[in-house]
Amino acid sequence: MAGLSMEHPWAFAFGLLGNIISFTSLLAPIPTFYRIFKSKSTEGFQSVPYVVALFSAMLWIFYALVKTGEGLLITINAAGCVIETVYIIMYLVYAPRKAKIFTAKIVLLLNVAGFGLIFLLTLFAFHGETRVVSLGWICVGFSVCVFVAPLSIIGRVIKTKSVEYMPFSLSLTLTLSAVVWFLYGLLIKDKYVALPNILGFTFGMIQMVLYMFYMNATPVVASDAKEGKEAWKVPAEDHVVVINVGKADKSSCAEVRPVADVPRRCAAEAAAPGQQVMAVDFARSVEVV
């Protein structure tokens, strides 16, 4: 009960702050979906980041329920489940037929079959503390996979000498989220919450340093930059998915972007434990834990 107990005021404070930061990250895709609503088309936007963010939130809620007493993890990831579900439904309403079929398939595969398998295995194959440990490591493994994705966008920034797809504000938010959730995990003595955010903090710092280094740099030859940019703009119909575990965070990232833009959002989604938020190339998934 450390997370909610006022006997541990610092843990409660960091958990509450983590909820606020991660919730803000979850709302980041609103402009994108407003654009989709206005145009009545998903254009080249991808649904994968939102499906992964939803899975991450579901996984962390299950972990919090099994461990018990982790109300602050449940609140932010419950919010993540609701918000990501709304995003996915909106996407399905306006997406072309092929994109709808693809999105339905990954939802069934990941959020229904994948989560169902994890649920049954941990519920019947493990008992007591072993169940918490096994589920905790599953959450850590998924979160680490999400946080590794920034390697691709970091390489792109170095190659093009352009920070176009790596906005400083997002890198800063994700870094702060990782710090807050790490401290929360440390204070409640939960290594499964703390460990993934060490990686999140590391990549966040690297991104901010690169941003400062290249913010005034001259990008590569225009033709090369254009070619590189076009290479990233793959229509949703092609279903080219580069998966980067967060809020899933994440982030959380928590926003459906053209594949070219996926790197700069992702586990907004995960920018919290559980949704580590959660991103897919995602150059970042916010993991909402």
Side-chain angles (χ1 to χ4, degrees):
M1 291 291 291
L4 286 175
S5 175
M6 293 309 293
E7 295 179 3
H8 301 81
W10 283 109
F12 179 81
F14 280 113
L16 187 60
L17 182 59
N19 270 250
I20 295 172
I21 295 176
S22 296
F23 185 74
T24 302
S25 298
L26 287 170
L27 299 180
I30 288 180
T32 294
F33 282 93
Y34 179 72
R35 173 180 171 180
I36 290 175
F37 172 75
K38 292 287 288 184
S39 64
K40 309 299 181 185
S41 170
T42 56
E43 302 172 355
F45 292 103
Q46 288 280 338
S47 62
V48 177
Y50 307 95
V51 175
V52 174
L54 176 60
F55 176 73
S56 176
M58 292 167 62
L59 202 57
W60 280 104
I61 287 178
F62 184 36
Y63 169 78
L65 290 173
V66 169
K67 184 181 178 183
T68 70
E70 292 298 339
L72 291 172
L73 289 184
I74 294 176
T75 54
I76 185 57
N77 286 291
C81 282
V82 173
I83 294 173
E84 299 302 337
T85 299
V86 171
Y87 290 156
I88 293 171
I89 291 174
M90 284 191 64
Y91 184 89
L92 288 172
V93 170
Y94 297 109
R97 184 172 180 276
K98 288 181 66 177
K100 287 181 179 179
I101 294 174
F102 174 72
T103 300
K105 285 181 178 178
I106 59 175
V107 168
L108 289 174
L109 181 63
L110 187 62
N111 301 83
V112 178
F115 181 78
L117 180 62
I118 292 174
F119 178 83
L120 292 175
L121 283 176
T122 53
L123 203 60
F124 296 107
F126 303 101
H127 303 280
E129 186 63 24
T130 304
R131 179 181 297 163
V132 176
V133 172
S134 60
L135 187 56
W137 283 115
I138 290 174
C139 291
V140 170
F142 188 72
S143 299
V144 167
C145 290
V146 172
F147 279 129
V148 165
L151 290 174
S152 61
I153 191 61
I154 288 173
R156 177 169 174 74
V157 169
I158 295 174
K159 182 179 180 180
T160 63
K161 302 184 186 304
S162 171
V163 294
E164 180 181 2
Y165 299 118
M166 192 180 70
F168 184 82
S169 58
L170 180 64
S171 297
L172 177 61
T173 300
L174 294 175
T175 301
L176 290 175
S177 177
V179 171
V180 169
W181 284 110
F182 168 76
L183 291 174
Y184 174 77
L186 197 65
L187 289 168
I188 65 172
K189 296 180 173 58
D190 190 327
K191 61 184 177 184
Y192 308 115
V193 172
L195 286 176
N197 288 290
I198 295 176
L199 198 58
F201 171 77
T202 301
F203 282 127
M205 289 300 297
I206 292 175
Q207 288 187 25
M208 288 192 291
V209 170
L210 282 176
Y211 184 93
M212 299 299 291
F213 187 78
Y214 288 111
M215 60 184 294
N216 296 317
T218 302
V220 294
V221 182
S223 59
D224 294 337
K226 182 177 180 180
E227 179 181 347
K229 184 175 180 180
E230 292 302 317
W232 279 75
K233 287 189 176 179
V234 183
E237 290 77 7
D238 290 336
H239 315 315
V240 175
V241 180
V242 189
I243 291 191
N244 157 5
V245 190
K247 211 210 167 336
D249 219 108
K250 244 294 202 92
S251 133
S252 214
C253 319
E255 169 178 2
V256 173
R257 303 289 301 174
V259 172
D261 291 348
V262 168
R264 55 174 174 176
R265 297 278 187 196
C266 177
E269 300 290 291
Q275 200 147 316
Q276 290 164 335
V277 268
M278 120 34 141
V280 200
D281 153 328
F282 288 158
R284 212 70 194 158
S285 135
V286 153
E287 171 175 329
V288 175
V289 141

Coordinates of all heavy atoms in Angstrom, one line a residue, residues 4 8 26 34 53 61 64 77 82 91 108 113 116 188 194 206 208 211 220 230 235 238 260-261 284 287:
L4 N -0.2 4.5 -2.1 CA -1.4 5.3 -1.7 C -1.3 5.7 -0.2 O -2.1 6.6 0.2 CB -2.7 4.6 -1.9 CG -3.1 4.5 -3.4 CD1 -4.4 3.6 -3.5 CD2 -3.4 5.9 -4.0
H8 N 3.8 7.2 3.5 CA 4.9 7.3 2.6 C 4.6 8.5 1.7 O 4.3 8.4 0.5 CB 5.1 6.0 1.7 CG 5.4 4.8 2.5 ND1 4.4 4.1 3.1 CD2 6.5 4.2 2.8 CE1 4.9 3.1 3.8 NE2 6.2 3.1 3.6
L26 N -0.9 11.5 -22.6 CA -2.0 10.8 -23.2 C -2.8 11.7 -24.1 O -3.4 11.2 -25.1 CB -2.8 10.1 -22.2 CG -2.2 8.9 -21.5 CD1 -3.1 8.5 -20.3 CD2 -2.0 7.7 -22.4
Y34 N -8.2 15.4 -34.1 CA -9.1 16.5 -34.6 C -8.9 16.7 -36.1 O -9.9 16.9 -36.8 CB -8.8 17.8 -33.8 CG -9.6 19.0 -34.3 CD1 -11.0 19.0 -33.9 CD2 -9.1 20.0 -35.1 CE1 -11.8 20.1 -34.3 CE2 -9.9 21.0 -35.5 CZ -11.2 21.1 -35.1 OH -12.0 22.2 -35.5
A53 N 0.0 1.0 -27.0 CA -0.2 1.7 -25.8 C -1.3 1.2 -25.0 O -1.2 1.1 -23.7 CB -0.5 3.2 -26.1
I61 N -2.1 -2.6 -15.5 CA -3.2 -2.6 -14.6 C -3.3 -4.0 -14.0 O -3.5 -4.2 -12.8 CB -4.5 -2.3 -15.4 CG1 -4.6 -0.8 -15.7 CG2 -5.7 -2.7 -14.5 CD1 -5.9 -0.4 -16.5
A64 N -0.7 -4.3 -11.3 CA -1.0 -3.6 -10.1 C -2.1 -4.3 -9.3 O -2.1 -4.3 -8.1 CB -1.5 -2.2 -10.5
N77 N -3.2 4.1 -15.7 CA -3.3 3.1 -16.8 C -4.8 2.9 -17.2 O -5.1 2.5 -18.3 CB -2.6 1.8 -16.4 CG -1.1 2.0 -16.5 OD1 -0.6 2.1 -17.6 ND2 -0.5 2.0 -15.3
V82 N -8.9 3.9 -21.5 CA -10.1 4.6 -22.0 C -9.7 5.5 -23.2 O -10.3 5.5 -24.3 CB -10.7 5.5 -20.9 CG1 -11.8 6.4 -21.5 CG2 -11.3 4.6 -19.8
Y91 N -10.1 6.0 -35.2 CA -9.2 5.6 -36.3 C -10.0 4.6 -37.2 O -10.0 4.7 -38.4 CB -7.9 4.9 -35.8 CG -7.0 4.5 -36.9 CD1 -6.1 5.4 -37.4 CD2 -7.1 3.3 -37.5 CE1 -5.2 5.1 -38.4 CE2 -6.2 2.9 -38.6 CZ -5.3 3.8 -39.0 OH -4.4 3.5 -40.0
L108 N -6.9 -7.9 -32.1 CA -7.2 -9.3 -31.8 C -6.0 -10.0 -31.4 O -6.0 -10.8 -30.4 CB -7.9 -9.9 -32.9 CG -9.4 -9.4 -33.2 CD1 -9.9 -10.1 -34.5 CD2 -10.3 -9.7 -32.0
A113 N -5.7 -11.9 -27.8 CA -5.0 -13.2 -27.7 C -3.7 -13.0 -26.8 O -3.5 -13.9 -26.0 CB -4.6 -13.7 -29.1
G116 N -4.7 -12.2 -23.2 CA -5.4 -13.4 -22.7 C -4.5 -14.5 -22.3 O -4.6 -15.1 -21.3
I188 N 8.7 2.9 -3.4 CA 7.8 1.8 -2.9 C 8.6 0.5 -3.0 O 8.0 -0.6 -2.9 CB 6.6 1.8 -3.8 CG1 6.9 1.4 -5.2 CG2 5.8 3.1 -3.7 CD1 5.6 1.2 -6.1
A194 N 10.7 0.7 -11.4 CA 11.9 1.5 -11.5 C 12.8 1.2 -12.7 O 13.3 2.1 -13.4 CB 12.6 1.5 -10.2
I206 N 19.9 11.5 -23.9 CA 20.7 11.5 -25.2 C 20.0 12.3 -26.2 O 20.6 13.1 -27.0 CB 20.8 10.0 -25.7 CG1 21.8 9.3 -24.7 CG2 21.4 10.0 -27.1 CD1 21.9 7.8 -25.0
M208 N 17.9 14.9 -25.8 CA 18.0 16.3 -25.5 C 19.4 16.9 -25.9 O 19.5 18.0 -26.4 CB 17.6 16.6 -24.1 CG 16.1 16.4 -23.8 SD 15.6 17.1 -22.2 CE 16.4 15.9 -21.1
Y211 N 19.6 17.2 -29.5 CA 18.8 18.3 -30.0 C 19.6 19.6 -29.9 O 19.6 20.4 -30.8 CB 17.5 18.4 -29.2 CG 16.6 19.5 -29.7 CD1 15.6 19.2 -30.6 CD2 16.7 20.8 -29.2 CE1 14.7 20.2 -31.1 CE2 15.9 21.8 -29.7 CZ 14.9 21.5 -30.6 OH 14.1 22.5 -31.1
V220 N 21.4 18.0 -44.0 CA 22.1 17.4 -45.2 C 21.5 18.0 -46.4 O 20.4 18.6 -46.4 CB 22.0 15.9 -45.2 CG1 22.8 15.3 -44.1 CG2 20.6 15.5 -45.2
E230 N 10.8 11.2 -47.4 CA 9.8 10.5 -48.1 C 9.9 9.0 -47.8 O 8.9 8.3 -47.8 CB 10.0 10.7 -49.7 CG 9.7 12.1 -50.1 CD 8.3 12.5 -49.8 OE1 7.4 11.6 -50.0 OE2 8.1 13.6 -49.3
P235 N 2.5 4.9 -46.4 CA 1.0 5.0 -46.2 C 0.6 3.9 -45.2 O 1.2 2.8 -45.2 CB 0.4 4.7 -47.6 CG 1.5 5.2 -48.6 CD 2.8 4.8 -47.9
D238 N 0.2 0.3 -46.3 CA 1.3 -0.7 -46.4 C 1.7 -1.4 -45.1 O 2.5 -2.3 -45.1 CB 2.6 0.1 -46.9 CG 2.4 0.6 -48.4 OD1 1.6 -0.1 -49.1 OD2 3.0 1.6 -48.7
A260 N 6.5 8.6 -40.7 CA 7.6 9.6 -40.5 C 7.6 10.3 -39.2 O 8.6 10.6 -38.7 CB 7.5 10.7 -41.6
D261 N 6.4 10.5 -38.6 CA 6.3 11.2 -37.4 C 6.3 10.3 -36.2 O 6.4 10.7 -35.0 CB 5.1 12.1 -37.3 CG 5.2 13.2 -38.3 OD1 6.4 13.4 -38.8 OD2 4.2 13.9 -38.6
R284 N 9.8 6.1 -29.6 CA 9.6 6.3 -28.1 C 8.2 5.7 -27.7 O 7.3 6.1 -28.3 CB 9.5 7.7 -27.9 CG 10.0 8.3 -26.6 CD 11.2 8.3 -26.3 NE 11.2 8.6 -24.9 CZ 12.2 8.3 -24.1 NH1 13.2 7.7 -24.6 NH2 12.1 8.6 -22.9
E287 N 5.2 5.0 -22.2 CA 4.8 4.0 -21.3 C 4.1 4.7 -20.2 O 4.6 5.6 -19.6 CB 6.0 3.4 -20.8 CG 5.8 2.5 -19.7 CD 7.0 1.8 -19.3 OE1 7.8 1.6 -20.1 OE2 7.1 1.5 -18.2

